[in-house]
Amino acid sequence: MDQGTTTLAAAIGARVKQQRQFRRWTLDQLAEVAGVSRRMLVNVEQGAANPSVGTLLRISDALGIGLPALVELPETASLKVTRYGEGAALWIGEAGGRGVLVAGTAPPDVVELWDWHLSPGDRHSSEAHTRGTKELLQVQQGTITLEVAEQSITLEAGDAVSFPGDVAHAYANPSAEPARFSLTVFEPGVGSGHHSEVSDD
């Protein structure tokens, strides 16, 4: 892990441990509610793991705090500014792409704003999120292929789409040029402890 990833992993680990202890839960209790292994939780709390977005979603939902609260510093002011380059890079593709969470709201109805860069050949896959999750995507640069359940669509710069996030979906860049898109995720009822399985390539 590079320095930025190491720092983020340590911060996430500290927040998970703090929230777990606040609830007076053991590692085993959180593991059961979140649907992740005890070993993974130990690694996350120690900052020794670079967990997938899916794993972070399961943990944050189990704790009832939402993904943005898990990866961002708490703010007392009503205005939360994320300067360019300060977002939490929660996914890094094999070809060098990045999925960066740049802003979000508090639970129970969480809205996340992401800045995605997909290098040529990059692909991010996710299983279904919580029931009722919706996603909005707009391509800023290049071309991406969006797969939602059994459907596949090609989107060019300026194109936008809304789709259900509670079914399996994927974003890919099959072209020879870099692609960038903005993604907004609406996840209702965070903290219910009933996340679907989510996985990331």
Side-chain angles (χ1 to χ4, degrees):
M1 292 190 288
D2 61 29
Q3 185 58 45
T5 303
T6 300
T7 301
L8 178 60
I12 290 172
R15 289 178 203 131
V16 170
K17 186 173 183 179
Q18 177 189 45
Q19 291 292 330
R20 176 178 63 79
Q21 291 177 339
F22 175 75
R23 287 159 180 74
R24 298 184 179 179
W25 285 358
T26 65
L27 283 164
D28 290 328
Q29 286 173 312
L30 178 54
E32 182 177 352
V33 174
V36 302
S37 71
R38 185 181 190 280
R39 170 51 51 195
M40 172 57 76
L41 278 179
V42 169
N43 288 339
V44 168
E45 287 195 0
Q46 292 176 347
N50 185 17
S52 69
V53 176
T55 297
L56 292 177
L57 278 168
R58 286 193 291 269
I59 293 172
S60 63
D61 186 51
L63 292 171
I65 61 174
L67 186 57
L70 193 63
V71 302
E72 295 177 358
L73 293 173
E75 292 284 329
T76 54
S78 59
L79 202 62
K80 168 67 170 94
V81 177
T82 303
R83 299 294 181 190
Y84 180 76
E86 293 179 351
L90 299 180
W91 177 82
I92 298 176
E94 292 182 6
R98 296 168 77 82
V100 181
L101 180 62
V102 295
T105 64
D109 296 325
V110 174
V111 179
E112 302 165 4
L113 179 61
W114 293 77
D115 183 20
W116 283 83
H117 295 253
L118 294 182
S119 296
D122 262 335
R123 176 186 171 86
H124 170 78
S125 299
S126 180
E127 292 184 12
H129 300 313
T130 305
R131 184 185 308 244
T133 297
K134 306 290 185 190
E135 303 196 19
L136 305 172
L137 182 157
Q138 185 179 35
V139 180
Q140 307 297 323
Q141 172 190 349
T143 302
I144 71 161
T145 298
L146 172 67
E147 299 168 16
V148 181
E150 302 301 318
Q151 296 181 291
S152 179
I153 185 170
T154 299
L155 300 167
E156 307 283 347
D159 292 346
V161 63
S162 61
F163 60 95
D166 55 5
V167 296
H169 53 282
Y171 329 108
N173 179 3
S175 74
E177 301 296 326
R180 180 181 183 184
F181 62 92
S182 296
L183 180 72
T184 301
V185 180
F186 169 69
E187 186 181 14
V190 168
S192 63
H194 299 294
H195 248 297
S196 300
E197 286 262 333
V198 182
S199 69
D200 307 282
D201 283 351

